[in-house]
Amino acid sequence: MKFAIAQINPTVGDIAGNAAKILGFYERAKKQGADLVICPELCVIGYPPEDLVLMPSFRKKAMQAVKNLAKKTAKGPALLVGSVWEEKDKIYNAALLLGGGKVAHIQPKICLPNYGIFDEKRIFCAGDGPKAAQWRGMKIGFLICEDVWNSTLSAALKKQGAELLIVINASPFETGKLAQRKKVAAQAVKRTGLPLIYVNTVGGQDDIVFDGGSFALDAKGRVAAQLTEFREHLEIIHPFSALSTQHSALSMEESLWSAMSFGLSDYVRKNGFKGVVLGLSGGIDSALSAACAVDALGAARVKGVLLPSPYNARASIEDAHASARLLGIETMTVPITPGMEIFDEVLSPVFKDASWMEDVNIGGNVQSRLRGMILMAVSNKFGWLLLSTGNKSEVSVGYTTLYGDSCGGYNVLKDVYKTQIYALAKWRNARGLVIPKRSISKAPSAELAPGQKDEDQLPPYALLDKILMLHIEGRKSVEEIIAKGYAKTVVEKVVKMVRMSEYKRRQSCPGVKLSPMLFGRDRRFPLTNGWKG
Amino acid sequence: MKFAIAQINPTVGDIAGNAAKILGFYERAKKQGADLVICPELCVIGYPPEDLVLMPSFRKKAMQAVKNLAKKTAKGPALLVGSVWEEKDKIYNAALLLGGGKVAHIQPKICLPNYGIFDEKRIFCAGDGPKAAQWRGMKIGFLICEDVWNSTLSAALKKQGAELLIVINASPFETGKLAQRKKVAAQAVKRTGLPLIYVNTVGGQDDIVFDGGSFALDAKGRVAAQLTEFREHLEIIHPFSALSTQHSALSMEESLWSAMSFGLSDYVRKNGFKGVVLGLSGGIDSALSAACAVDALGAARVKGVLLPSPYNARASIEDAHASARLLGIETMTVPITPGMEIFDEVLSPVFKDASWMEDVNIGGNVQSRLRGMILMAVSNKFGWLLLSTGNKSEVSVGYTTLYGDSCGGYNVLKDVYKTQIYALAKWRNARGLVIPKRSISKAPSAELAPGQKDEDQLPPYALLDKILMLHIEGRKSVEEIIAKGYAKTVVEKVVKMVRMSEYKRRQSCPGVKLSPMLFGRDRRFPLTNGWKG
């Protein structure tokens, strides 16, 4: 039997488009002589479908699409797809084997993840148990994503006489995730002595990127197939024999960069934007965001806007221009000084205070919001998606202005700490200089006041990021972090800043999940919150 | 035995504060001769605690607080509290009977709601089954909120010999919810023949308001106690005999208004704001929001800002002033015209377009964002929470400007359709004129262009709201709504507007849940979404 992996990129909700895409892959695989074409989890409706699944009409359309696909299999290979499936008022996340013109086998997902970014118990019922399917002389066990992490299910399929395990997935990217998936799959192979085909989705959906990287392991746990990451792909694979050459894993930086640019390009494409626009400050964050956007979309679809104020150093403006030149992107310049003067003029009498603009928490916010307003006007005028460029360190402690630099529809840096920003900039520059060296070497500054530096208001980023990672990724409390040797006043200040800025994050745009703890998806905290630990 | 209901208002995360509050109620009840003092679900940590519960240090502190409370019961009445409770690596939402100085009985919640606003399966494990507790010669069955909706659990407790059911709850307000709770409780009483005490939380937590309204039913299902709604209360009750006088239910408008003002006042209080500020346009939405804020906080803590442009009718400015006068609130006036001129001046050369300000989707947004910026400057300067005033009809179809009129930290109208706004305004005016009559009678307009009316761009609100309620609350598709007799073009346009504006709602502030379908909490939709049905 010849197996084809269809590592496809569906769009959530676009049932007709997804079905057409599945059929296209099916036809191609058929020409290549495949006997079974395997598509990813929920590929008919996209992942995560969220509450769309709770609309009865949506479920009906999805099931109809599956039945229509089944008809196409009257002659030719069988087709395994993932879709919502309803039976006796129960809504399942199901693997559906389509063959001989019919829905030949239905395997509901049994283990529904409901942690991290996952909310499957909200929308699906759990299936009862796995049942191996007999197909053209072979007994196959089907599992869906989380199911393979459960040791009893693969063992049960083996007991039923399964000769092969097929796992369909919508497993999101996260640093080190591919290796983790292989480890789990290898354990299932070891437990059962069965070869295993692992088919993953590929594509960006809001904050989440599916990195593909589908693979197969032979009965001894050796790699029998390895598909590419971060792109659609069809491949005929042979799960019963090991590959002679080994797939080399992407470096940490390469995988992060791929996820960031892929997430952005899919958000832009699936939502129909002409391109993106962002403010160029001459700093490393906007330069890195612009470089990522150019890698994702090409220089012609990326525009930079310089928004100088009296507090911007000449060097910053030079660095912003240098960044645009290195990337080959067009820029415009719109000074915010006239806006600052007008706000000073109209608000000083109301505030009965002639120096309020010098207060960085009031006047500084006005500067940032003037920039946000100008960028949004440009976005509205030309139909370009505005990129927000706050990094995870800033977003964590609320070192951003709500409705100011937080304006935007997407943020590739949302899940990247400042110390990782430097590593990525150096990595990207080593593959071709795109980020001005001075943007990397100079001390970071919001430039909202004369001579202001980030580290006047925040601990040094190397220290800040360590505390943040313990608190956010590690879920450690103030006391626990202090016990690790960090200074009490610093830890208390940082954790308080995280707590007090939840309202800013609540109103922020999506960005690419890269870590196990993306704000809003993996980490869901109350706004009103008396917990100081 | 004498039972006390402690209908308390905890703050999420504030374990020490909540424990102190519980102890205060306990001491008062002790003086009144209570034998058992009953507090609401999760009152030690607040509800919903979201991912706070996933921090080990948080759980440890909560359990320590429960043990400390238990020590206070060495002499005197027993105390029933709700808290997170961990046993053998399982995290429970538990009812804890504290008595004789110890934790005397632990009842974990069995049915974990994971729909609507609820995410309990994300953070809690389900308990195995209910076990009646023997306490001072009486056998009592404890249930937690959703548990009483399950018919088998109360029956199991009856079988174990329970003589009384006690249900502790954190049941959020929603139109008609109190009657629904009583119905469910009455069914449990009918099934078991046991009296039932139903203790609910009271208080606002971000988007959710708990309305209290705790009650008891005697063994025949007759009301044996009825506590007040929307405020903290301690009451000694007698669950074994019916009340002679009946509690009269709040009218629909009164309950909505109470939830809105209570939600706002708790958000302001628990987050430490000095007061609130909002833009007064002379329209019904801002006038109603201001009236609600005054009822919630008092006139001295509410400030109005008039933000006139060349497109505001003289009547609008008069109506805004009239609204402030009727409410007795201070106003300031900050015209946006100078800002509009500056934006025109700095952007026209960049846009190579001298008339871009006349495009309502670009220039109109600039007007709205200038207002947002001024309001945020006022908010930052004086420490007043900015109220956003977009109603549910506008929010549904995206008839708002992101970072413009959507700016704000809280929105009492978020879950109120425009047609309900009119009903509330009339209801409130009947209790004392606070909303100018012309704000109610005139045609709604955003006044972003000369002579603009909402109904030039939207269907009449009476029609729009019907379609929205079918689509949003009713989860009906385009086809299903058309089948009910609505015009195809109108339905398609409205549903498309809902779909295309999800990104605006994603970046919006919290507001009071009043309906079964609050955006963001009850209704969670993807941004990237190809479903047009």
Side-chain angles (χ1 to χ4, degrees), chain A residues 183-195:
Chain A
K183 199 177 141 192
V184 169
Q187 285 165 350
V189 169
K190 197 171 173 193
R191 207 154 44 226
T192 57
L194 300 178

Side-chain angles (χ1 to χ4, degrees), chain A residues 54-322:
Chain A
L54 302 179
M55 288 185 81
S57 55
F58 182 81
R59 300 194 295 272
K60 209 173 131 190
K61 275 266 159 56
M63 291 175 72
Q64 194 53 57
V66 171
K67 288 170 192 163
N68 291 344
L69 283 170
K71 286 183 196 147
K72 306 286 184 180
T73 64
K75 288 169 193 167
L79 175 62
L80 185 72
V81 298
S83 178
V84 62
W85 198 257
E86 197 169 0
E87 262 184 18
K88 295 179 192 158
D89 288 334
K90 290 200 166 172
I91 303 171
Y92 298 109
N93 171 347
L96 300 136
L97 180 68
L98 315 180
K102 295 185 304 190
V103 179
H105 185 80
I106 299 165
Q107 176 62 60
K109 188 171 184 173
I110 296 156
C111 301
L112 300 176
N114 207 67
Y115 55 82
I117 66 149
F118 300 107
D119 294 286
E120 291 197 28
K121 289 183 181 171
R122 177 179 176 85
I123 53 173
F124 294 119
C125 294
D128 280 334
K131 234 181 122 176
Q134 194 70 43
W135 185 251
R136 294 191 185 159
M138 190 178 218
K139 203 146 192 184
I140 307 175
F142 300 109
L143 296 168
I144 306 177
C145 209
E146 194 81 1
D147 289 340
V148 77
W149 297 67
N150 178 311
S151 62
T152 63
L153 301 182
S154 48
L157 288 164
K158 164 77 175 177
K159 246 188 206 163
Q160 292 172 28
E163 298 155 79
L164 170 69
L165 298 173
I166 296 180
V167 192
I168 64 172
N169 305 268
S171 176
F173 174 77
E174 203 176 278
T175 313
K177 194 71 172 288
L178 182 60
Q180 208 185 349
R181 287 179 204 130
K182 281 202 173 144
K183 199 177 141 192
V184 169
Q187 285 165 350
V189 169
K190 197 171 173 193
R191 207 154 44 226
T192 57
L194 300 178
L196 184 152
I197 302 175
Y198 186 104
V199 178
N200 196 17
T201 307
V202 73
Q205 169 65 25
D206 298 346
D207 321 74
I208 298 162
V209 169
F210 301 98
D211 49 328
S214 303
F215 61 88
L217 302 178
D218 74 0
K220 292 187 175 151
R222 296 171 305 189
V223 176
Q226 176 62 59
L227 271 67
T228 183
E229 288 156 73
F230 299 108
R231 68 179 182 84
E232 284 197 320
H233 194 52
L234 176 70
E235 192 166 313
I236 304 285
I237 59 129
H238 306 281
F240 299 99
S241 55
L243 286 181
S244 51
T245 54
Q246 279 295 308
H247 168 84
S248 63
L250 299 180
S251 73
M252 156 94 108
E253 283 80 12
E254 193 171 359
S255 68
L256 291 175
W257 192 255
S258 302
M260 289 158 61
S261 51
F262 192 47
L264 174 61
S265 69
D266 256 19
Y267 193 79
V268 166
R269 180 175 63 81
K270 291 178 178 179
N271 287 290
F273 290 100
K274 294 181 198 155
V276 300
V277 59
L278 77 170
L280 292 180
S281 69
I284 188 171
D285 295 342
S286 59
L288 189 73
S289 296
C292 181
V294 168
D295 283 359
L297 305 166
R301 296 176 70 197
V302 181
K303 312 288 167 181
V305 184
L306 279 75
L307 301 147
S309 83
Y311 304 131
N312 288 121
R314 176 185 295 271
S316 302
I317 297 164
E318 288 169 6
D319 293 341
H321 280 298

Side-chain angles (χ1 to χ4, degrees), chain B residues 55 64 82 148 169 187 253 288 312 335 399 408 414-415 464:
Chain B
M55 288 185 81
Q64 193 53 56
V148 77
N169 305 268
Q187 285 164 350
E253 284 79 13
L288 189 72
N312 287 121
Y399 196 66
K414 183 173 181 172
D415 208 17
L464 176 64

